[in-house]
Amino acid sequence: MASHALKQTAAPVTVQQAQTNALLTLLNLNKPIDAPSATSQGGSKSGTPALKVPAATGPPVWKILVLDQETKDVLATILRVQDLRDIGVTLHVQLHSSRPPLPDVPAIYFVSPTLANIRRIAEDLEKGLYESFHLNFSEPLSRSLLEELAAAVAKDGTGELVEEVVDQYLSFIAPSGSLYSLLPPPSTAAASTPGQPGPSQPTSSYAILNSPSSSEEQIENEIERIANGLFSVVVTMGQVPIIRAPRGNAAEMIAKKVETKIRDSLITASRSQGSSLFSQEAGGLSTLQRPLLLILDRNIDLVPTLSHGWTYQALVSDCLEMRLNRVTVASPQKKAFDLDAKDFFWAKNAANPFPQVAEDIDTELNRYKQDAAEITRSTGVSDVNDITQLDLSANASHLKTAITQLPELTARKATLDTHMNIATALLEQIKQRGLDELFSTEEAITKQSAASVLEYLRAPKGEGQPTPTDKLRLVLVFYLSSQDSAVSKDDVAELEAELKKQGADIAAFEYVRRLREISRMMVPAAGGAATPMPAAPAGGELFKGFSSLGNRLTDRLKEGGLENLISGVRNFLPTNKLCTVTRLAEALMDSGAASNQSLQETDEYVLLDPRVPRHVQSAAARAPARRSQFAEGVVFVVGGAGYVEYGNLEEWAGKTGRRVAYGGTEIWDPESFVGVLRDLGRAQT
């Protein structure tokens, strides 16, 4: 059975671009594509490169694409229908749906390696639905499933229809250039895992790995599933990493499994003299040329997944429904908007503070109006939409120019309309929930006391009214950011009583308290170990965009009042500090700039190098780890990633000139993560 991985022979690409290249190669019947040059991947201000869709080589072959739900999610995050058309896919359908036969069309199957999928493929082969079958699996097909497929093909005599069977290593999602997550765990109707939500909520890795009711088999299966997904990310990136992970938890177990998978792959390629899944050769590579793979456990720092963010992407994740880069705005009427790396405004502003985003909307609107005015002036029409009504004989040259520019202008206007709608919805949420006050309070959380937090719960600052969940998140951030002895039992009891009075479910608080008692978990920033970052712009500059955005959107809001909406938003300067995950990545990638505490922590981490013989590695494991420098890194959080942490790590990488991909078993929005903590807390009582 063939294995496939895109070889990264040119300049390094982002995890999203690497996955896009691999998907388009798959859709091109596994024939090479023309990858974009390094110069075509211009970086945005936020550090997110614009996504380039490579061109297929040779004439297009028209075909049908068959997906299951998991692989549909993988494709939908990156590719649009037009991208599929461009590479010759005329129709995409679900595997487990009723499909008419198309006997003169080749079919590309891109599905997960499950028994149900194998049996349905065998049925399609037996019916001869398509001219030929190109079978691609998102993860390696196990021997038992391969034998199942082979037996069915042999029984029905349909072997001549199967053109190829390929392992693709694509079982992950890449929502943006340097952000990725694994696919969710399969839901089991009979599972009794506490923290495993009901039908309306998907199962989570964090719940499975942290629930006391999870069986040993469940945990082992989940760790194996996570290792397979992370191995897919590493293979798609095309480079053999040096792996580091803290000892004694799930992160170490996953690190060892991933290292074994990489090592076995290298040995197999060497013995068979076949093509390797990785582009690098064994010799001549320094540590600087190889990436770091840092695997961490979510419980090392829960604060970023609970705190209130102030960047565009963090606010969208917190305030709106966001799934697979599709954002749903519920008010004034329900609308869905697609955000991806092809969206120039999102690529530029996703990681920026929200007031700066508001300013940029104003700038882009002015630029659009100037460009549209120039077209209308040169053609003599009153509106760009009237260009098609021009007198062709009198305005031929102007018409050619206008029609050339019109598609770009139309696309730009649609993008700006999308972000106007999203910005309006976010401003409403900021005002209603007092998110600016919550954020500023959490930014200075180490200066807060139990008394000041209680005062905030009873009488929130500003005009906004935080929800009970917002107040619970504030208490959790305060508790986790405090020294062990700083919050007494009486303080905890008083905080719990006030949260109950405010209508919050304190089961999540009870779970976090027990978790901290066991692990003595504490955010290092509380002890003054946070690394300062370069200063941000002055507060006035950071927030001036609200007034101009208000002028633009006034007519969109009832009762005249974006100015009234904005008036309650505080003008403050976000502090610059590193989250725990960023601090640990800094210690391993740039040890010269890291604090002594961070270096002491990471010196104890397990060190695994798949290229080093096992006997050499075993001897090296007993010696102190050598501190190194890395230009590239891949950070993976077992238990889930979050946009606040992602933005913090991305900002550090941009300031230090490093390339870092960040991801986890899932990407949490704060309310969903609180829900998982709540379910775990209820299960323990």
Side-chain angles (χ1 to χ4, degrees):
M1 180 173 57
S3 289
H4 169 266
L6 180 73
K7 301 299 182 289
Q8 310 295 339
T9 54
V13 296
T14 65
V15 62
Q16 187 186 57
Q17 186 66 62
Q19 188 182 49
T20 303
N21 293 349
L23 284 170
L24 291 174
T25 298
L26 179 160
L27 297 175
N28 198 38
L29 302 178
N30 289 311
K31 295 175 183 175
I33 55 172
D34 292 331
S37 65
T39 57
S40 70
Q41 298 180 47
S44 70
K45 185 177 179 181
S46 69
T48 303
L51 182 65
K52 303 292 182 182
V53 177
T57 56
V61 176
W62 304 111
K63 55 256 180 184
I64 185 172
L65 175 62
V66 184
L67 305 164
D68 62 11
Q69 187 55 54
E70 287 191 347
T71 55
K72 179 184 175 183
D73 289 349
V74 172
L75 255 77
T77 310
I78 291 182
L79 301 177
R80 297 289 171 252
V81 172
Q82 187 56 50
D83 299 324
L84 300 181
R85 297 283 186 273
D86 291 343
I87 204 162
V89 175
T90 58
L91 182 66
H92 58 282
V93 294
Q94 281 283 320
L95 174 64
H96 295 283
S97 64
S98 178
R99 290 171 277 123
L102 296 168
D104 57 344
V105 179
I108 298 173
Y109 281 69
F110 177 40
V111 297
S112 305
T114 66
L115 181 58
N117 287 352
I118 291 294
R119 288 175 175 171
R120 185 56 187 259
I121 291 170
E123 286 180 24
D124 292 352
L125 283 164
E126 193 270 332
K127 294 175 183 177
L129 289 185
Y130 308 113
E131 177 186 71
S132 58
F133 289 68
H134 300 257
L135 306 182
N136 298 271
F137 295 94
S138 58
E139 288 184 342
L141 192 63
S142 67
R143 184 177 183 85
S144 61
L145 290 178
L146 182 60
E147 290 174 350
E148 175 89 14
L149 176 62
V153 168
K155 177 184 175 183
D156 299 327
T158 54
E160 72 281 357
L161 294 177
V162 180
E163 289 289 328
E164 57 185 349
V165 180
V166 185
D167 295 328
Q168 288 291 348
Y169 302 95
L170 289 170
S171 59
F172 64 96
I173 293 169
S176 64
S178 53
L179 178 67
Y180 65 93
S181 74
L182 305 188
L183 296 170
S187 57
T188 52
S192 58
T193 308
Q196 179 170 298
S200 62
Q201 215 173 358
T203 307
S204 71
S205 296
Y206 186 87
I208 293 171
L209 296 177
N210 287 277
S211 171
S213 298
S214 293
S215 66
E216 188 173 336
E217 182 183 6
Q218 280 180 301
I219 293 174
E220 288 178 355
N221 289 341
E222 182 61 13
I223 286 175
E224 180 65 28
R225 190 193 70 83
I226 294 170
N228 286 334
L230 185 52
F231 180 60
S232 287
V233 175
V234 173
V235 170
T236 301
M237 293 296 288
Q239 296 177 310
V240 178
I242 293 172
I243 305 172
R244 302 296 300 270
R247 299 178 186 274
N249 55 24
E252 180 183 6
M253 298 170 67
I254 291 165
K256 290 180 176 178
K257 283 183 175 290
V258 171
E259 188 262 352
T260 299
K261 292 176 187 294
I262 297 174
R263 183 185 297 276
D264 290 347
S265 170
L266 295 173
I267 292 173
T268 300
S270 173
R271 289 176 178 172
S272 65
Q273 300 299 313
S275 61
S276 172
L277 294 175
F278 301 95
S279 59
Q280 295 178 343
E281 297 300 327
L285 286 169
S286 69
T287 301
L288 275 172
Q289 293 171 293
R290 289 174 62 187
L292 167 75
L293 173 57
L294 173 58
I295 305 175
L296 298 168
D297 192 277
R298 179 69 274 163
N299 287 338
I300 203 167
D301 184 13
L302 295 180
V303 169
T305 50
L306 297 166
S307 59
H308 293 84
W310 197 238
T311 62
Y312 194 21
Q313 59 193 1
L315 280 168
V316 169
S317 171
D318 192 350
C319 301
L320 307 175
E321 181 185 338
M322 184 177 184
R323 184 177 184 273
L324 301 178
N325 283 346
R326 172 159 289 188
V327 176
T328 302
V329 175
S331 178
Q333 58 184 6
K334 192 168 184 178
K335 288 184 179 179
F337 304 97
D338 289 325
L339 301 178
D340 54 40
K342 296 176 189 177
D343 179 330
F344 75 93
F345 193 88
W346 180 251
K348 178 182 178 183
N349 286 290
N352 288 338
F354 185 64
Q356 190 175 322
V357 176
E359 174 69 15
D360 202 48
I361 288 179
D362 182 52
T363 302
E364 290 293 341
L365 278 169
N366 283 331
R367 189 166 72 89
Y368 167 78
K369 288 189 174 183
Q370 290 171 3
D371 292 347
E374 177 61 26
I375 289 180
T376 56
R377 184 193 62 78
S378 63
T379 56
V381 298
S382 59
D383 189 277
V384 290
N385 296 321
D386 298 333
I387 286 175
T388 54
Q389 300 175 13
L390 279 172
D391 180 358
L392 299 183
S393 60
N395 297 279
S397 61
H398 293 310
L399 180 62
K400 179 180 178 182
T401 301
I403 289 179
T404 302
Q405 295 176 351
L406 190 59
E408 188 274 334
L409 268 181
T410 304
R412 203 195 318 169
K413 178 64 164 59
T415 296
L416 292 176
D417 282 346
T418 290
H419 291 282
M420 295 272 274
N421 279 282
I422 292 173
T424 303
L426 292 180
L427 283 168
E428 290 278 10
Q429 288 285 305
I430 291 169
K431 175 67 174 179
Q432 291 173 8
R433 294 165 55 187
L435 295 180
D436 54 334
E437 292 290 351
L438 281 165
F439 176 70
S440 61
T441 301
E442 290 174 2
E443 282 286 278
I445 200 67
T446 55
K447 299 177 183 177
Q448 306 294 332
S449 64
S452 65
V453 173
L454 280 167
E455 182 182 352
Y456 186 93
L457 295 179
R458 290 163 180 159
K461 301 174 185 177
E463 298 178 4
Q465 281 299 322
T467 65
T469 301
D470 285 328
K471 294 178 179 180
L472 173 62
R473 287 164 58 188
L474 173 64
V475 170
L476 290 173
V477 170
F478 167 69
Y479 177 76
L480 291 168
S481 302
S482 302
Q483 299 283 356
D484 281 341
S485 58
V487 185
S488 67
K489 290 184 178 180
D490 290 341
D491 291 335
V492 169
E494 202 168 355
L495 287 168
E496 286 188 341
E498 187 60 36
L499 285 172
K500 284 182 179 178
K501 185 178 178 182
Q502 299 284 345
D505 189 329
I506 64 167
F509 191 15
E510 293 171 348
Y511 174 75
V512 168
R513 284 197 293 107
R514 279 193 290 270
L515 186 66
R516 185 170 179 180
E517 288 169 4
I518 294 170
S519 63
R520 292 299 172 188
M521 179 177 55
M522 185 182 69
V523 177
T531 305
M533 294 175 70
E541 289 293 311
L542 201 60
F543 278 76
K544 68 180 182 181
F546 275 117
S547 59
S548 56
L549 180 61
N551 295 333
R552 300 292 174 184
L553 299 184
T554 299
D555 60 342
R556 289 176 173 260
L557 296 175
K558 295 180 180 179
E559 301 175 2
L562 192 63
E563 289 86 352
N564 296 332
L565 184 67
I566 294 169
S567 64
V569 179
R570 277 195 60 199
N571 184 352
F572 59 86
L573 177 65
T575 58
N576 291 283
K577 59 185 179 183
L578 300 186
C579 294
T580 299
V581 168
T582 308
R583 181 178 60 80
L584 296 173
E586 178 188 58
L588 290 167
M589 295 181 69
D590 186 14
S591 57
S595 67
N596 286 332
Q597 177 186 340
S598 301
L599 293 172
Q600 289 170 6
E601 281 184 64
T602 54
D603 282 348
E604 299 300 318
Y605 282 14
V606 63
L607 169 63
L608 302 170
D609 186 347
R611 291 199 183 276
V612 174
R614 286 196 184 279
H615 67 278
V616 175
Q617 186 157 276
S618 298
R622 294 188 289 271
R626 181 170 53 87
R627 294 171 183 172
S628 305
Q629 296 282 323
F630 292 91
E632 295 184 39
V634 178
V635 177
F636 181 78
V637 184
V638 180
Y643 279 101
V644 170
E645 198 166 64
Y646 170 51
N648 188 263
L649 182 64
E650 191 178 43
E651 184 180 2
W652 169 80
K655 291 181 186 303
T656 58
R658 283 169 166 76
R659 295 168 55 93
V660 181
Y662 166 82
T665 47
E666 46 257 315
I667 298 175
W668 289 112
D669 66 85
E671 191 164 345
S672 294
F673 190 64
V674 169
V676 171
L677 297 179
R678 178 197 63 224
D679 292 341
L680 287 167
R682 288 174 179 173
Q684 290 187 347
T685 56

